[in-house]
């Protein structure tokens, strides 16, 4: 058969190959585009890794005058799915005094290790029944996800959701934690929500906060940010979009500074249910302890004094912890400083005894 005679057959084979490649591209391309769009738009929308941007389309409408307006968004239950989590972490004992739920970024391994070492070596960790959990989203890179898998196998204290681990998904991280605790930690007295750059003094927590305080099932213990006293920022890292709290210059409700918040565990299921009703707001402290908490009858904020709660002044924190009569429970500091402070603190407490 000559080359000329083979041309129709070659042409047919080329056409079949092109059709197969087109069909393959049509099936794969949308997934690739969605993944790239999720990474690109992480600072503007709340989403999971497979659906970013769809919510923004679904929550826009054009009114009778032809103007586009933004509709209220709500928690997407698909984003609360847990891919890593040890369900028996609270169920292996009859009663848990406190669960410390730490909001951590996927790359902050050193912070998590510092907190683990402090808790495991602290005498109060053995004196009371305490559980430690780290809440994470998903990283952008599979290499980092493999490290999370290894960390989970070694420690078993990670609860990871399907959403991307970004600032604008902080609320999903918090609500996922509420749902998980409601289902798996029903034998707990207190839940302590904190960030991974917060040092907690377990001696002072049980001596000056846990044992003396007698609260109802609707009391949230935190550093309260009072109604009308906190400015609504429209720009910067914590900027609020113009369609949220429109016309307000200050937040119209009280809420908690989210560095450290103590809640009766009995309140967690009610708070979780409230998040399914309240329109979505990406700043988790304001959403959970201001907007959602407002839907719970009789809920109140108990303000922690500065004696028990410092935020960023490291010198004052360290000066207090080395002094007799210090009641400081929570303080912000780096992972390197945490271990140093804890070791020096133990020397003082042992000498005092």
């Amino acid at each position: 058969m000559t080359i000329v005679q083979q041309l129709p057959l070659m042409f047919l084979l080329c056409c079949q190959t092109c059709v197969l490649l087109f069909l393959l591209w049509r099936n794969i391309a949308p997934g690739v585009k969605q993944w790239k769009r999720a990474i690109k738009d992480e600072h503007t929308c709340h989403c999971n890794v497979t659906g970013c941007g769809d919510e923004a389309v679904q929550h826009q409408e054009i009114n009778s005058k032809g103007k586009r307006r933004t509709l209220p968004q709500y928690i997407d239950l698909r984003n609360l799915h847990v891919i890593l989590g040890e369900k028996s972490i609270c169920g292996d004992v009859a009663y848990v005094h406190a669960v410390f739920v730490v909001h951590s970024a996927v790359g902050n391994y050193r912070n998590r290790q510092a907190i683990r070492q402090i808790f495991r070596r602290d005498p109060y960790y053995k004196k009371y029944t305490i559980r430690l959990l780290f809440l994470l989203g998903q990283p952008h890179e599979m290499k980092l996800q493999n490290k999370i898998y290894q960390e989970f196998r070694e420690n078993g204290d990670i609860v990871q959701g399907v959403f991307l681990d970004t600032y604008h998904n902080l609320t999903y991280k918090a609500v996922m934690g509420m749902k998980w605790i409601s289902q798996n930690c029903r034998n707990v007295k207190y839940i302590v929500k904190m960030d991974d750059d917060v040092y907690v003094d377990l001696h002072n927590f049980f001596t000056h906060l846990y044992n003396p305080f007698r609260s109802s099932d609707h009391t949230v213990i935190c550093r309260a940010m009072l109604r009308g006293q906190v400015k609504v920022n429209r720009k910067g890292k914590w900027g609020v979009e113009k369609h949220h709290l429109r016309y307000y210059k200050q937040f119209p409700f009280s809420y908690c500074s989210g560095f450290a918040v103590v809640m009766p565990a009995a309140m967690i299921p009610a708070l979780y249910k409230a998040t399914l009703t309240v329109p979505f707001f990406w700043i988790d402290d304001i959403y959970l302890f201001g907007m959602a908490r407002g839907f719970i009858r009789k809920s109140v904020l108990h303000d922690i004094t500065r004696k028990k709660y410092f935020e960023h002044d490291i010198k004052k924190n360290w000066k207090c912890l080395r002094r007799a009569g210090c009641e400081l429970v929570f303080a912000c500091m780096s992972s390197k400083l945490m271990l140093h402070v804890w070791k020096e603190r133990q020397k003082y407490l042992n000498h005092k005894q």
Side-chain angles (χ1 to χ4, degrees):
M1 185 179 292
T2 64
I3 296 178
V4 176
Q5 291 175 327
Q6 291 179 354
L7 284 177
L9 181 60
M10 295 173 62
F11 178 76
L12 180 60
L13 290 174
C14 289
C15 290
Q16 290 178 341
T17 303
C18 291
V19 170
L20 289 173
L21 289 174
F22 173 76
L23 292 174
L24 183 62
W25 173 83
R26 190 176 63 176
N27 290 330
I28 294 176
V32 175
K33 289 180 179 179
Q34 284 182 334
W35 177 260
K36 290 182 178 179
R37 186 172 58 184
I39 296 174
K40 181 180 179 180
D41 296 343
E42 65 185 30
H43 64 288
T44 59
C45 66
H46 60 283
C47 56
N48 64 29
V49 294
T50 60
C52 185
D54 296 338
E55 292 86 351
V57 175
Q58 294 170 358
H59 293 280
Q60 296 282 334
E61 77 167 11
I62 299 176
N63 60 21
S64 58
K65 296 181 180 180
K67 294 184 178 180
R68 185 180 298 275
R69 71 185 184 96
T70 302
L71 298 176
Q73 301 178 25
Y74 293 88
I75 290 291
D76 187 341
L77 296 179
R78 295 172 299 177
N79 291 345
L80 303 181
H81 178 66
V82 172
I83 60 175
L84 280 182
E86 180 53 63
K87 294 183 179 181
S88 63
I89 195 167
C90 295
D92 57 346
V93 293
Y95 183 79
V96 179
H97 292 91
V99 175
F100 289 80
V101 182
V102 184
H103 287 212
S104 183
V106 289
N108 291 357
Y109 173 77
R110 291 183 179 179
N111 295 49
R112 295 191 290 274
Q113 281 296 92
I115 295 173
R116 287 184 183 113
Q117 291 182 48
I118 290 173
F119 271 64
R120 292 169 182 172
R121 296 164 63 182
D122 197 286
Y124 277 80
Y125 188 74
K126 298 178 181 179
K127 186 176 180 180
Y128 291 87
T129 304
I130 299 172
R131 293 294 181 266
L132 183 63
L133 287 176
F134 295 95
L135 303 185
L136 304 177
Q138 288 200 63
H140 295 96
E141 300 177 1
M142 193 59 197
K143 183 178 179 180
L144 188 53
Q145 180 60 41
N146 291 332
K147 292 182 179 180
I148 298 298
Y149 286 138
Q150 180 63 29
E151 188 178 348
F152 175 75
R153 286 191 292 269
E154 293 175 355
N155 301 283
D157 56 6
I158 290 174
V159 176
Q160 186 182 30
V162 297
F163 50 85
L164 286 174
D165 200 292
T166 66
Y167 277 115
H168 278 256
N169 280 335
L170 287 175
T171 289
Y172 273 114
K173 183 177 290 185
V175 176
M176 175 196 69
M178 295 285 175
K179 180 182 179 181
W180 196 91
I181 291 168
S182 298
Q183 295 174 342
N184 301 288
C185 290
R186 299 181 181 180
N187 56 335
V188 180
K189 183 176 181 180
Y190 278 113
I191 302 297
V192 182
K193 179 267 178 187
M194 53 187 265
D195 293 338
D196 65 4
D197 59 349
V198 173
Y199 169 83
V200 55
D201 190 287
L202 292 179
H203 173 271
N204 283 348
F205 174 78
F206 286 102
T207 304
H208 301 297
L209 189 61
Y210 183 95
N211 291 323
F213 192 78
R214 294 292 180 268
S215 69
S216 69
D217 291 341
H218 302 94
T219 302
V220 179
I221 309 168
C222 66
R223 184 63 179 168
M225 315 301 288
L226 300 179
R227 173 182 178 180
Q229 295 186 5
V230 182
K231 181 181 178 181
V232 178
N233 293 317
R234 299 295 178 181
K235 296 180 180 180
K237 179 180 177 180
W238 301 103
V240 177
E241 295 86 347
K242 63 180 181 180
H243 59 272
H244 283 138
L245 300 172
R246 185 176 294 181
Y247 309 122
Y248 282 96
K249 293 184 178 180
Q250 287 83 28
F251 287 103
F253 39 74
S254 299
Y255 64 96
C256 290
S257 174
F259 290 104
V261 181
V262 183
M263 298 166 283
M267 186 178 179
I268 301 300
L271 192 59
Y272 167 63
K273 290 180 181 178
T275 64
L276 305 181
T277 304
V278 181
F280 180 90
F281 191 71
W282 75 271
I283 304 178
D284 58 330
D285 308 339
I286 298 171
Y287 180 76
L288 280 179
F289 309 117
M291 298 166 66
R293 183 190 57 81
F295 275 65
I296 302 175
R297 293 184 60 187
K298 301 180 180 180
S299 67
V300 294
L301 297 182
H302 179 83
D303 188 35
I304 300 180
T305 65
R306 283 289 179 182
K307 290 183 178 180
K308 296 183 176 69
Y309 190 105
F310 287 155
E311 292 182 5
H312 294 295
D313 198 325
I314 296 176
K315 291 183 179 179
K316 285 185 178 180
N317 297 342
W318 184 217
K319 186 177 180 180
C320 174
L321 290 169
R322 299 175 69 178
R323 188 176 67 239
C326 177
E327 299 181 5
L328 183 64
V329 178
F330 303 108
C332 287
M333 60 184 69
S334 67
S335 58
K336 292 182 180 179
L337 193 57
M338 279 186 195
L339 285 171
H340 176 70
V341 168
W342 180 82
K343 290 177 181 178
E344 293 298 318
R345 177 71 170 157
Q346 296 310 302
K347 291 179 183 178
Y348 167 78
L349 292 174
N350 292 334
H351 177 72
K352 182 180 177 182
Q353 294 173 355

